[in-house]
Amino acid sequence: MNTTANADAMTAILRQISLDWNRTISYGRYIAIFFAYVPGFTCLMAATGSTLDSVAGAAIGGAASGFLMLNITLFSYEQMNNHHWMNGIVPINRNHQILGRFAFLIACDLVAGLEVAVSIACAGIIMHEPVKVTDAIDFAAMTVLTLVLLNAIVQPVLYRFSPYRAMAAIFLSIGVIGGAVIGLCKALPELKKTVEQLAEAISRHQAIALAAFLIIDVLALAFSRKISLHIYGSKDI
């Protein structure tokens, strides 16, 4: 009985992944531009004299923002022409819809990590500063873990509000938090020093930092799934 139930659950999750994949590729040639802009931009920066650290930061930031927008785009697609009502008739319950969406996004996050690693490696070749394989893996892992956390945070918001309101709330929150951190660092030199020391400690113990980040991601995913199911389960489709 349990084996059959697990098989049915896996089939439902795979159906949801397939739906999200079809929604993503429905944009046609624009999806190729989406996947090409990070490598193109980082290689352009490398060719114009940027440092490798700035290129790496741009690659991670570009991939994180772009793939976060992919998550928002999936919800926007469902709202276009009232396509979201189809979620009420597909043979997938809401729990499996949420799990399938998370699974699809994690797969996309892995692609983003690979894209960042390749982009930084190519930039290193252009700048004649070969990037170590371990460094490329660290950059990729940081990208994946950052995206997983961001998607876990925004998922309940996207289930609660329309994509446009959710997007406004997300970017407003990022701006407020970022501005507050910058303001506090300028107003409190001790805090700035603490942040720098923390960043230095993370760079010295990257394996421990990544392991801690992974634990945070797992907890965030579990919490996000529970809240998303509570919100989405109470909605009329």
Side-chain angles (χ1 to χ4, degrees):
M1 187 67 177
N2 288 335
T3 303
T4 303
N6 291 337
D8 290 342
M10 183 58 66
T11 300
I13 291 171
L14 290 174
R15 283 175 179 164
Q16 179 62 40
I17 293 172
S18 178
L19 280 172
D20 284 340
W21 169 247
N22 288 328
R23 288 164 177 161
T24 301
I25 63 175
S26 67
Y27 290 93
R29 63 180 178 274
Y30 295 106
I31 197 66
I33 298 173
F34 172 79
F35 284 107
Y37 88 95
V38 170
F41 185 69
T42 52
C43 288
L44 179 63
M45 287 183 65
T48 53
S50 299
T51 64
L52 190 58
D53 286 341
S54 62
V55 170
I60 294 173
S65 59
F67 279 81
L68 180 62
M69 283 301 300
L70 176 61
N71 186 7
I72 298 172
T73 301
L74 289 172
F75 284 89
S76 299
Y77 184 96
E78 292 177 354
Q79 294 294 324
M80 291 168 55
N81 299 319
N82 293 321
H83 286 171
H84 61 283
W85 69 268
M86 295 179 63
N87 288 334
I89 64 172
V90 293
I92 312 170
N93 68 37
R94 298 191 187 191
N95 181 39
H96 294 149
Q97 286 181 28
I98 292 172
L99 291 175
R101 176 64 55 84
F102 273 124
F104 178 76
L105 291 172
I106 290 172
C108 291
D109 296 345
L110 293 172
V111 172
L114 177 62
E115 186 178 50
V116 165
V118 172
S119 299
I120 294 174
C122 291
I125 293 173
I126 293 172
M127 300 170 68
H128 304 290
E129 296 181 29
V131 177
K132 295 179 180 178
V133 174
T134 53
D135 290 340
I137 292 174
D138 287 340
F139 286 130
M142 185 59 66
T143 303
V144 173
L145 293 173
T146 300
L147 268 169
V148 169
L149 181 60
L150 287 174
N151 283 323
I153 292 171
V154 305
Q155 208 70 357
V157 180
L158 289 166
Y159 278 112
R160 174 63 181 83
F161 301 104
S162 69
Y164 304 105
R165 288 184 178 180
M167 185 166 59
I170 291 165
F171 285 107
L172 179 62
S173 300
I174 292 173
V176 169
I177 294 171
V181 171
I182 293 172
L184 287 172
C185 287
K186 287 185 176 181
L188 302 171
E190 298 83 2
L191 177 61
K192 182 178 180 180
K193 185 177 180 181
T194 301
V195 172
E196 291 175 349
Q197 290 174 344
L198 178 62
E200 185 179 349
I202 291 174
S203 65
R204 287 199 309 265
H205 307 285
Q206 290 184 354
I208 297 175
L210 290 174
F213 205 165
L214 178 60
I215 294 172
I216 293 171
D217 277 359
V218 171
L219 295 175
L221 283 172
F223 194 55
S224 178
R225 177 249 173 196
K226 185 174 182 179
I227 298 175
S228 297
L229 183 59
H230 175 74
I231 295 170
Y232 189 38
S234 62
K235 275 189 173 183
D236 291 328
I237 301 178

